[in-house]
Amino acid sequence: MFVLRFYLISFGFIFEVYPKLKESAKKLIFWDARQTFCGVLERWQVVNEDLCWLLGYHWDFVANMSDNEGDQGPKSTFSTYMAEGDQLYQKGEYVKAIESYSTALILQPDDKNCLVARSKCYVKMGDSGNALRDAEASLKEDKEFFKGLYQKAEALYTMGDFEFALVFYHRGHKLRPELQEFRLGIQKAQEAIDNSVGSPSSVKLENKGDLSFFHKADEVKKGRPKGLIHPLRREMRQQNKKTPKSEKTAKQLLGELYSDKEYLEKLLKDEDLVKGKMRDGERLQDLILNCITYLDTRTEFWRQQKPIYARERDRKLMQQKWNKTRQNPPSDPTRFVLKSLEEIDAALTAGNAESSLKKAREVLKSVQCWSEEVVPNKKEVLGNLHSCIGNALIDLGKMDRALDNHLKDLDLARQCKLPEAKSRALDNVGRVYARIGKFPQAIDAWEEKIPLASGGLERTWLFHEIGRCYLELKRHTEARDYGVRSLAVADEIADEKWQLNACVLVAQSEMKLGNFKSGVAHFERALDRAKVLQDDPARDAIQKVT
């Protein structure tokens, strides 16, 4: 009886679950097909509703989502959908981000920031028309909304309307001159205009010679009826506007997207496919043609923005400039190097680590190509530049690459037997090791630096840092000893700030060693220093411990 019940239950389970499993299998098959085609879309970074239907099957169709699902209103708040859209935008999921922003706009239809955010997504997808509409909608109530002005300029630039884009970049720059985005926009729009039509300063028109030929041509044009233009020529002219001058040019402009265009053109040749229709009744042939037209439009935009001749010209100019720099160093290399190092340090001090890094790398490449005759202390200069690059990378949080440059600085200092350069390199190497938690290596570097340390301030700092590393390693006796040495040097130079730091280090070490009386005494002294220095955070922290 038990066995019979078991079989009945098993058969019931199969009859109930099998259809669901079969349906899931169908979905997986469609999903695999979709994944195959979407490899093309990932390279495009242009995923709109039509292209998903054509090259990847629509997810709504694959997953059989309910048609009534869209009828339900927003289930969350405006700020939630905005935050969701921002997160999806950062991930590059622009279609989903647009859905989130659109849902948010249902709740607040006139929100300017949301319209700008959705416009950015449309720009990323290449849908310039919708991007422009959203940007203009954000300016409906406030014509001086700078985010809307910038986004409108970006949309116009993407459409290839560089002149109008330049107007709105200038308008935004006038309102918010401190924003770098508008300055860069003005530069790129002006450059695109110059690349398209040439700079006005480079064109000189002269009214010389026999111009009767042109006058006759004008008379012929005026006398010719408009209806006599051959229709075939008109078609060819329109076609020439839509397509690039040659396939070679299109291939250069489109890059990886050229293979996608070829794929779409092959789809057009499949007669069975192009006869089909989408779920909404749209013909596949029309959809494919729209995609090809879009690519042709992008090709024309890129051709205007940066023509092939302009790209080749810029590449040649950059190559000539680089070769000239390599072969012909400045008339005064020493002055050039010193000025460059000052600019690199100034940028880093101002907090612009990326600019400092870029400048240091450029100078490094130039100096590496020069001979010892041009720069007698070439290795010393290279060490300085590696040190600057390492410090910039530390500020950018790229510790591994920073360590690599500081180790190169150390190696050059040892080769040239330069004590000051070696001290600097060991200092920086120790800092990087301490920042990444490799305290034994930091201790080794800093202890090697001790004989090279000059001045009381450098020595008290060095002893304190070594002591802190020992404290992190729970080697409390060594931590206390270095704390005492740091405190002694701080007393010698009467530096109250380092007296405070050293007292705290000694107090912490003594407390860990069980010497509570000495620990409390050093904490009390540190508290006095904190009061004198009016260092409220340090005072509060010490009072909590004591």
Side-chain angles (χ1 to χ4, degrees), residues 17-34 59 61-64:
V17 174
Y18 176 72
K20 296 180 181 178
L21 292 175
K22 184 178 178 182
E23 188 65 25
S24 298
K26 285 170 64 180
K27 291 177 184 178
L28 287 174
I29 291 170
F30 281 121
W31 174 251
D32 289 339
R34 181 180 187 273
W59 175 242
F61 172 71
V62 173
N64 286 325

Side-chain angles (χ1 to χ4, degrees), residues 100 159 192 194 289 305 307 390 450 454 504 517:
S100 297
M159 296 173 75
D194 291 342
L289 288 172
Q305 181 192 26
I450 290 174
S454 59
V504 171
K517 186 175 180 180

Side-chain angles (χ1 to χ4, degrees), residues 378-395:
K378 179 179 176 179
K379 289 185 177 179
E380 184 179 356
V381 172
L382 291 175
N384 268 289
L385 290 169
H386 279 299
S387 178
C388 293
I389 291 171
N391 290 333
L393 289 168
I394 289 175
D395 283 7

Side-chain angles (χ1 to χ4, degrees), residues 415-482:
Q415 289 178 27
C416 301
K417 297 180 180 180
L418 301 169
E420 292 183 2
K422 183 180 178 182
S423 176
R424 175 195 66 217
L426 288 168
D427 182 356
N428 290 323
V429 168
R431 280 201 301 140
V432 176
Y433 276 132
R435 289 276 292 272
I436 62 179
K438 294 185 176 181
F439 300 112
Q441 291 89 332
I443 290 170
D444 292 341
W446 279 332
E447 286 185 338
E448 186 180 352
K449 175 184 164 67
I450 290 174
L452 303 172
S454 59
L457 188 60
E458 185 177 8
R459 286 166 57 224
T460 187
W461 168 84
L462 184 59
F463 292 145
H464 178 270
E465 293 304 301
I466 297 172
R468 292 298 308 176
C469 288
Y470 276 121
L471 189 64
E472 292 290 340
L473 295 172
K474 302 188 186 309
R475 294 172 60 177
H476 303 120
T477 302
E478 291 90 340
R480 178 195 59 192
D481 294 343
Y482 273 104

Side-chain angles (χ1 to χ4, degrees), residues 234-350:
R234 186 168 55 224
E235 264 183 44
M236 290 176 65
R237 194 179 303 134
Q238 290 174 354
Q239 188 175 0
N240 288 334
K241 287 182 180 178
K242 293 181 181 178
T243 58
K245 291 183 179 179
S246 69
E247 288 299 311
K248 184 179 178 181
T249 304
K251 195 169 185 178
Q252 285 181 297
L253 290 167
L254 287 173
E256 291 184 354
L257 295 179
Y258 186 75
S259 60
D260 300 333
K261 184 184 176 186
E262 287 182 324
Y263 174 73
L264 291 168
E265 288 172 347
K266 286 179 182 178
L267 289 180
L268 272 180
K269 297 176 182 178
D270 189 335
E271 296 180 0
D272 294 332
L273 177 67
V274 296
K275 290 177 182 177
K277 291 186 178 182
M278 309 302 296
R279 189 174 63 179
D280 58 358
E282 186 178 5
R283 292 194 308 164
L284 278 172
Q285 184 179 9
D286 295 338
L287 189 53
I288 295 171
L289 288 172
N290 287 337
C291 295
I292 294 174
T293 303
Y294 170 79
L295 282 177
D296 288 339
T297 304
R298 290 290 88 194
T299 305
E300 183 64 18
F301 166 72
W302 289 322
R303 185 189 66 77
Q304 292 179 14
Q305 181 192 26
K306 195 76 167 176
I308 296 297
Y309 76 84
R311 300 180 188 203
E312 292 175 354
R313 178 197 63 201
D314 290 349
R315 185 164 59 248
K316 287 178 181 177
L317 288 173
M318 288 295 293
Q319 188 66 36
Q320 290 173 3
K321 185 179 178 182
W322 171 238
N323 291 336
K324 186 177 178 181
T325 305
R326 290 175 61 185
Q327 296 168 4
N328 303 317
S331 56
D332 190 351
T334 304
R335 185 176 180 182
F336 167 77
V337 170
L338 291 174
K339 184 179 179 182
S340 299
L341 288 172
E342 288 176 3
E343 291 174 356
I344 292 165
D345 287 336
L348 191 61
T349 305

Side-chain angles (χ1 to χ4, degrees), residues 185-205:
I186 291 169
Q187 290 174 10
K188 72 179 182 182
Q190 189 63 60
E191 183 183 356
I193 293 168
D194 291 342
N195 288 332
S196 300
V197 300
S199 176
S201 60
S202 64
V203 179
K204 294 181 179 180
L205 298 178

